[in-house]
Amino acid sequence: MAVKRTPFIAGNWKMNLDHLQAIAFVQKLAWALADAKHDFADAEVAVFPPFTDLRSVQTLVSADSLPIAYGAQDVSAHDSGAYTGEISGAFLAQLDCRYVIIGHSERRTLHHETDADVNAKVLAAHRHGLVPVVCVGETADDLEAHGPSAVPVAQLRAALEGVDGSKGLVVAYEPVWAIGSGQAATPAQAEQVCSALRALIAELLGDEVASATRILYGGSVKAANIASFLREPNVDGALVGGASLDIDEFSSIVRFKKHVGA
Ligand code: PEP
């Protein structure tokens, strides 16, 4: 039986906004959504601030009971020990993070994270009750050499090795050539890859998990194009970078249903 998937709009702040700016931002975002009478059944909202902001965001969200989820942008594959500079999933769980982004293309490229690293981090997230937002996507060269789906599907296959599907999963398809470039994929391109990713989840984790898993598109999403992606049957939301730092633009993306009548 098909499961209804609540659309998910996730803002990846990357290395922007310190903890004071984070407090102001999340408070204003909550006000903007409340003023607009956003129905969170139409779209769940999450922000992914830098590590140093998480305690402040937790305090605000908990004190004001804000309906905004949050998570980290990365997690260590290890639980504790001599890993200078790394952050354990246990610490993120203590801060009530619900999600953690794993395998973002900037981590894969700038920090040379491999598919095996991504898999180890997904397993670590699950050990601590966090839902991984697993990012996959092809470069422009991959696209030319292998077509759109081969690389994201291979990355997801590796990321899900040994994973228990009952522990929660979000997948973000982010073509590397579309991230921060202003050149988004077309909705049809996004649908083609997201549908291949869902078929892979069904093969590896079963139909029930596949039908419950939210698959996001990411790459130059803005208020003007979000609705066209959400009309596709296998696209369940967006991972938003640059546009997530502008409250009006981000809240407009979150309210995609209302402002374009989708
Ligand atoms: C991202 O970094 O995950 C991203 C999708 O960025 P942007 O929306 O700026 O393309």
Side-chain angles (χ1 to χ4, degrees):
M1 200 183 73
V3 174
K4 189 179 172 322
R5 298 183 292 270
T6 302
F8 186 37
I9 304 294
N12 174 17
W13 293 2
K14 311 194 186 196
M15 198 172 71
N16 293 292
L17 306 184
D18 64 28
H19 73 288
L20 297 175
Q21 294 168 318
I23 293 169
F25 186 98
V26 172
Q27 184 71 81
K28 283 187 200 154
L29 176 62
W31 284 333
L33 294 174
D35 280 353
K37 301 198 172 17
H38 174 63
D39 181 350
F40 285 82
D42 286 346
E44 182 186 353
V45 184
V47 294
F48 292 80
F51 286 126
T52 50
D53 298 3
L54 288 171
R55 174 65 175 151
S56 305
V57 170
Q58 177 200 28
T59 304
L60 171 66
V61 165
S62 143
D64 291 2
S65 301
L66 301 181
I68 293 177
Y70 55 90
Q73 299 171 16
D74 187 27
V75 65
S76 176
H78 308 285
D79 295 341
S80 66
Y83 301 102
T84 301
E86 297 203 22
I87 303 289
S88 169
F91 306 160
L92 300 178
Q94 283 281 7
L95 292 171
D96 297 330
C97 287
R98 190 179 305 161
Y99 298 103
V100 60
I101 293 173
I102 296 177
H104 190 279
S105 73
E106 286 151 19
R107 304 267 346 148
R108 292 179 189 261
T109 307
L110 304 174
H111 299 273
H112 312 291
E113 281 188 13
T114 64
D115 285 343
D117 295 328
V118 172
N119 174 241
K121 290 181 177 198
V122 171
L123 294 171
H126 277 170
R127 280 198 300 280
H128 298 290
L130 302 163
V131 175
V133 179
V134 180
C135 300
V136 296
E138 81 288 356
T139 63
D141 287 348
D142 293 333
L143 183 62
E144 209 174 300
H146 310 289
S149 301
V151 167
V153 164
Q155 288 175 336
L156 188 61
R157 186 181 287 283
L160 296 183
E161 175 87 41
V163 162
D164 176 349
S166 71
K167 295 200 164 175
L169 174 70
V170 175
V171 174
Y173 165 53
E174 299 208 303
V176 180
W177 47 269
I179 295 179
S181 67
Q183 190 206 337
T186 65
Q189 282 172 318
E191 171 61 19
Q192 185 186 351
V193 179
C194 291
S195 127
L197 294 171
R198 197 175 305 286
L200 176 72
I201 298 169
E203 177 197 322
L204 298 176
L205 303 176
D207 289 341
E208 212 175 303
V209 174
S211 113
T213 298
R214 289 174 298 179
I215 304 182
L216 316 181
Y217 166 75
S220 298
V221 166
K222 35 189 195 285
N225 63 18
I226 181 68
S228 61
F229 289 107
L230 268 295
R231 278 193 199 103
E232 298 295 337
N234 284 291
V235 180
D236 306 310
L239 182 53
V240 185
S244 75
L245 297 169
D246 178 314
I247 289 169
D248 289 341
E249 183 74 9
F250 189 60
S251 54
S252 200
I253 292 171
V254 168
R255 292 182 296 108
F256 70 94
K257 273 202 170 162
K258 295 282 182 284
H259 70 94
V260 293

